[in-house]
Amino acid sequence: MRQVAILGIGQTTIDEHWDKSLREIGGEAALTALNDAGLERADALFVGNMLAPMIDGQNQLGTFFADWIGLRGAEAVKVEAACSSGGAAFRSGVMAVASGEVESALVVGVEKMTDKAGHDVTAALATAADADYEIEQGVSFVGINALVMRRYMHEYGWKHSDFAPFSINAHANALHNPYARLHHKITAEAFEKSAMVATPINLLDASPIGDGAAAAVLVPAEAVVSSNGRARIVVAGSASATDTIAVHSRRDPLFLTAAYESSKQAYAQAGIEPKDVDVFELHDAFSIMAALSLEASGFAERGKGVQLGLDGGISPGGRIPVCTRGGLKARGHPVGATGMYQIVEVAQQLRGECGPTQVEGARVGLAQNIGGSGATIVTHVLRTA
Amino acid sequence: MRQVAILGIGQTTIDEHWDKSLREIGGEAALTALNDAGLERADALFVGNMLAPMIDGQNQLGTFFADWIGLRGAEAVKVEAACSSGGAAFRSGVMAVASGEVESALVVGVEKMTDKAGHDVTAALATAADADYEIEQGVSFVGINALVMRRYMHEYGWKHSDFAPFSINAHANALHNPYARLHHKITAEAFEKSAMVATPINLLDASPIGDGAAAAVLVPAEAVVSSNGRARIVVAGSASATDTIAVHSRRDPLFLTAAYESSKQAYAQAGIEPKDVDVFELHDAFSIMAALSLEASGFAERGKGVQLGLDGGISPGGRIPVCTRGGLKARGHPVGATGMYQIVEVAQQLRGECGPTQVEGARVGLAQNIGGSGATIVTHVLRTA
């Protein structure tokens, strides 16, 4: 298979876009990416989305967006893997170009989820978990993550306040990202005093939902010398792995097997090790997930992910900068779009466009998108080449 | 890219399976296909489904089924393109194996849709159309197809009774398919007297919904000499194309552009012409769609698809046998599963396993799956080799 390059990127602000439709949000990101790539169209369109059938009454988003953005006739399909829909759609686009099936692919992650009442959204998000054996018992999606966090604290002896650095770092970085949902600093004191959602997860452990879309244009790397004068970014590793859908079925609920497997495969494809990674856009839907991702992806030992935060290792100048554009916690989490925001943000880092949160000399970036409570995990390695 | 072969197939009966869950139905088809292939597992799983988030409260079906059928850890994803979800998932599986990314892929189309009240299902099916510009105006999905059928009758001068052969043929063939939803013959008189649904579409123009799943195992063709003593079946052509999502946006609402484009590409890949096709499993969600599919795929001139039925050309001994296992009309239409039933049925024809409705000497088969009212169309050419 041939190597694939990212020729263009685009994103919308994440917000409660009550004045914009699903069409307009996805279309804005898609056309921005095509424009950034200097292309008028792409051969195929892959859309990542989780909630549109339930929230917007709209299925068949591949064709829906192809029609809207001027790609009528082109092959188009939607890929869904809960909150990892964006990463899964990106992987489909990578495979389509790598295989030679198409010469260009546009990938869009999109979600419009704030037009419904909160309980409708909570119910829709619960479809990421096991309907029969988790949700039917009355637990919500945040409730499942709360059980995991409590178990982690019990097992390794961490206090709730030890998780504060993840959220503080995310909010500090989002201040410099104009596309982010939240633009305010938080303190360790605010973190501890925040309203409880599902013990021990409080409001500042949890990421906010939002409306948004992010997109990228993929082409064969051999066709790109430089990307409009910027660094050429190639997809050096692409892998996806799964775990049980219900957390209670896992032998070890504190280890993200699918993160371990997909990152191992992606590192091998790229010929790198964790120490070679300059920036890591991870899936901090809840602060506990940041710790577990760092551990399973080879950046910390079991139970030590929290220590990395306490040591300052996750800031833009640290050993392994994470959430440099705000992460799910502060950039926001428009679920089916999140994986594509991660891809776009890693690309921005590799292009050197991140201002005060730029990781100096970033050449290798990791994007890891999680569906369910670690059930589907898609990991990509991007690098300049 | 390397050629891909179908090593195993599986299907469940289509029915109101109130005693079986979504898991059980999909799992049954998947395990039957693996067993038929003589394999214990596959490298990757692709699931086609449209309604589970809305009807069953379950998303992330790739991981959901990988977990259930013993493929824990394997890459798994769901593909959605309304009623063409099954065909789109099959195409994803074909690309994954063709590209060399995986050595085996299991594709499952599944739908569990009869546990909800009829109006809930009607609303869920409407997500295949344009939510803002069609459904919001009060038209249902069958209503959109009724407008197309009326226009066709007006334009070409056909009477409603001229469409009867499509439904009569489908019901006659389903009698010999143990997996079919309906097992009764119908007459031309019954066709005309049937209850009206949306003028001019009556009950016997329309396909019944149902619960069901169908699956296939894909491997590189070079790895297969014979498939357990049966004819080796290869995927000779695979293509997908789109049209506007709303029917009213089309310059010519009576021509399925996406069927024309995708069949043209698939024929070219296979090096065949329509006259080389021995059997055609088409997407007769409504009788009008059978006529339009025959025309756009090169088997009849514009406005003459109905004539092919009246001449007897669509029966198992005719010029272009269609719906040889009952089609959507009588085998049934479990929407996200339908495309995989078509694949399985063409494979059965090429294996010579269809008893009284076997097409003698069938060597080349066409499967064409439609999402929305012609918005997404996925066409595959299978042949013995």
Side-chain angles (χ1 to χ4, degrees):
Chain A
M1 291 201 294
R2 58 189 178 179
Q3 194 160 44
V4 176
I6 296 178
L7 190 59
I9 53 176
Q11 61 188 317
T12 70
T13 55
I14 299 178
D15 210 329
E16 298 192 8
H17 288 300
W18 295 358
D19 58 338
K20 290 183 186 171
S21 69
L22 176 67
R23 270 189 170 78
E24 291 169 310
I25 292 171
E28 182 182 325
L31 294 175
T32 303
L34 278 173
N35 193 46
D36 187 52
L39 296 181
E40 292 206 348
R41 51 181 292 129
D43 289 348
L45 174 64
F46 298 87
V47 176
N49 171 269
M50 175 182 174
L51 302 174
M54 292 172 285
I55 302 278
D56 308 283
Q58 187 66 62
N59 250 312
Q60 206 177 182
L61 288 198
T63 306
F64 175 83
F65 281 111
D67 185 10
W68 179 246
I69 63 174
L71 300 185
R72 278 187 192 170
E75 172 165 15
V77 79
K78 183 186 91 185
V79 175
E80 187 276 322
C83 302
S84 64
S85 297
F90 186 74
R91 178 156 160 70
S92 293
V94 169
M95 272 204 271
V97 176
S99 68
E101 186 75 15
V102 300
E103 290 304 308
S104 57
L106 174 61
V107 186
V108 183
V110 60
E111 207 73 73
K112 171 92 175 111
M113 56 194 296
T114 69
D115 290 351
K116 290 268 182 177
H119 60 270
D120 289 333
V121 175
T122 300
L125 288 171
T127 62
D130 190 313
D132 292 340
Y133 298 115
E134 290 182 319
I135 302 307
E136 188 68 21
Q137 313 308 319
V139 68
S140 67
F141 193 68
V142 58
I144 293 168
N145 282 275
L147 293 169
V148 172
M149 185 169 178
R150 184 177 285 285
R151 178 79 201 171
Y152 184 92
M153 291 162 69
H154 169 80
E155 201 72 49
Y156 299 114
W158 297 108
K159 304 184 301 297
H160 179 261
S161 58
D162 295 329
F163 291 83
F166 292 119
S167 299
I168 292 171
N169 172 63
H171 276 261
N173 294 340
L175 275 179
H176 307 287
N177 178 4
Y179 301 100
R181 176 95 158 87
L182 303 177
H183 288 113
H184 61 273
K185 279 200 173 191
I186 62 167
T187 62
E189 191 186 3
F191 181 78
E192 270 313 283
K193 287 188 175 170
S194 183
M196 192 54 67
V197 180
T199 325
I201 292 179
N202 74 21
L203 203 59
L204 291 183
D205 286 297
S207 56
I209 64 166
D211 305 327
V217 176
L218 297 168
V219 295
E222 68 216 22
V224 187
V225 178
S226 81
S227 175
N228 300 338
R230 298 166 301 219
R232 188 176 75 157
I233 298 167
V234 300
V235 182
S238 172
S240 178
T242 59
D243 202 337
T244 67
I245 189 147
V247 173
H248 60 235
S249 299
R250 296 181 197 157
R251 194 178 299 266
D252 181 353
L254 299 183
F255 190 69
L256 296 176
T257 308
Y260 174 77
E261 287 296 337
S262 63
S263 63
K264 189 175 72 170
Q265 289 175 37
Y267 294 153
Q269 290 166 18
I272 63 166
E273 295 177 35
K275 67 174 173 52
D276 301 316
V277 176
D278 298 313
V279 55
F280 182 15
E281 289 303 330
L282 53 70
H283 192 97
D284 55 327
F286 303 101
S287 56
I288 176 66
M289 295 307 286
L292 296 183
S293 297
L294 285 165
E295 295 172 20
S297 306
F299 299 100
E301 289 175 31
R302 294 291 308 272
K304 304 280 192 193
V306 168
Q307 190 63 51
L308 205 50
L310 293 168
D311 292 346
I314 60 170
S315 66
R319 182 152 67 85
I320 179 66
V322 306
C323 306
T324 63
R325 304 291 279 163
L328 280 65
K329 177 67 200 79
R331 169 243 292 138
H333 184 26
V335 293
T338 289
M340 284 307 299
Y341 274 96
Q342 296 174 316
I343 293 288
V344 165
E345 290 162 354
V346 170
Q348 289 183 307
Q349 281 286 355
L350 301 185
R351 284 180 176 182
E353 298 175 349
C354 296
T357 63
Q358 176 65 41
V359 175
E360 284 306 315
R363 297 202 52 219
V364 177
L366 193 65
Q368 187 172 79
N369 193 198
I370 303 185
S373 301
T376 309
I377 304 190
V378 188
T379 304
H380 283 95
V381 175
L382 308 183
R383 80 169 159 216
T384 55
Chain B
M1 293 199 293
R2 58 189 179 179
Q3 194 160 45
V4 176
I6 296 178
L7 190 59
I9 54 176
Q11 60 188 316
T12 71
T13 56
I14 298 178
D15 210 332
E16 298 190 9
H17 287 300
W18 295 357
D19 58 338
K20 289 182 186 169
S21 69
L22 175 68
R23 274 189 165 78
E24 291 169 310
I25 292 171
E28 183 181 324
L31 294 175
T32 302
L34 279 173
N35 193 46
D36 187 53
L39 296 181
E40 292 203 349
R41 53 180 290 129
D43 290 347
L45 173 66
F46 297 87
V47 176
N49 172 269
M50 176 183 174
L51 302 175
M54 291 172 285
I55 302 278
D56 308 283
Q58 187 66 62
N59 250 314
Q60 207 177 181
L61 288 198
T63 306
F64 176 82
F65 281 112
D67 185 11
W68 178 246
I69 64 175
L71 299 185
R72 277 184 194 172
E75 172 164 14
V77 79
K78 183 185 92 185
V79 176
E80 189 274 324
C83 301
S84 64
S85 298
F90 186 74
R91 179 158 160 70
S92 293
V94 169
M95 270 204 274
V97 176
S99 67
E101 186 75 14
V102 300
E103 290 303 308
S104 57
L106 174 60
V107 186
V108 183
V110 60
E111 207 72 74
K112 172 91 174 108
M113 56 194 295
T114 71
D115 290 352
K116 289 269 184 176
H119 60 270
D120 288 332
V121 175
T122 300
L125 289 171
T127 61
D130 190 311
D132 292 339
Y133 297 116
E134 290 183 318
I135 302 308
E136 189 67 21
Q137 313 307 320
V139 68
S140 67
F141 193 68
V142 58
I144 293 168
N145 282 274
L147 293 169
V148 172
M149 185 168 179
R150 183 178 286 284
R151 178 79 201 171
Y152 184 91
M153 291 163 68
H154 170 80
E155 201 72 49
Y156 299 114
W158 298 107
K159 303 185 301 295
H160 179 260
S161 58
D162 294 330
F163 292 82
F166 293 119
S167 298
I168 292 171
N169 171 64
H171 276 260
N173 294 341
L175 276 178
H176 307 288
N177 177 6
Y179 301 100
R181 175 95 157 88
L182 303 177
H183 288 112
H184 62 273
K185 279 199 173 190
I186 61 167
T187 62
E189 192 185 2
F191 180 79
E192 270 314 282
K193 288 187 174 168
S194 183
M196 193 53 69
V197 180
T199 322
I201 291 179
N202 75 21
L203 203 59
L204 291 182
D205 286 297
S207 56
I209 64 164
D211 305 326
V217 176
L218 296 168
V219 295
E222 67 215 22
V224 187
V225 178
S226 79
S227 174
N228 300 337
R230 298 166 303 219
R232 187 175 76 155
I233 299 166
V234 300
V235 182
S238 173
S240 180
T242 58
D243 202 339
T244 66
I245 190 148
V247 173
H248 60 236
S249 299
R250 295 181 198 157
R251 194 177 300 264
D252 181 352
L254 299 182
F255 189 69
L256 297 175
T257 308
Y260 173 77
E261 287 297 337
S262 62
S263 62
K264 189 174 73 170
Q265 289 176 36
Y267 294 153
Q269 291 166 17
I272 63 166
E273 295 177 34
K275 69 175 171 50
D276 301 316
V277 176
D278 298 313
V279 57
F280 181 15
E281 290 303 331
L282 54 71
H283 192 96
D284 57 324
F286 304 100
S287 56
I288 177 64
M289 295 307 286
L292 296 183
S293 298
L294 284 165
E295 294 171 20
S297 306
F299 299 101
E301 290 174 28
R302 296 290 308 271
K304 303 282 192 191
V306 168
Q307 191 63 50
L308 204 52
L310 292 167
D311 292 347
I314 60 169
S315 65
R319 182 153 67 86
I320 179 66
V322 306
C323 306
T324 65
R325 305 293 278 164
L328 280 64
K329 177 66 199 82
R331 170 244 291 138
H333 185 27
V335 293
T338 289
M340 284 307 299
Y341 274 96
Q342 296 175 316
I343 294 288
V344 165
E345 291 163 355
V346 170
Q348 289 185 308
Q349 282 287 356
L350 301 185
R351 284 180 176 182
E353 297 175 350
C354 295
T357 63
Q358 176 65 41
V359 175
E360 284 307 314
R363 298 201 54 219
V364 177
L366 194 65
Q368 187 173 79
N369 194 197
I370 303 184
S373 302
T376 310
I377 304 190
V378 188
T379 304
H380 283 94
V381 176
L382 307 183
R383 77 169 161 215
T384 56

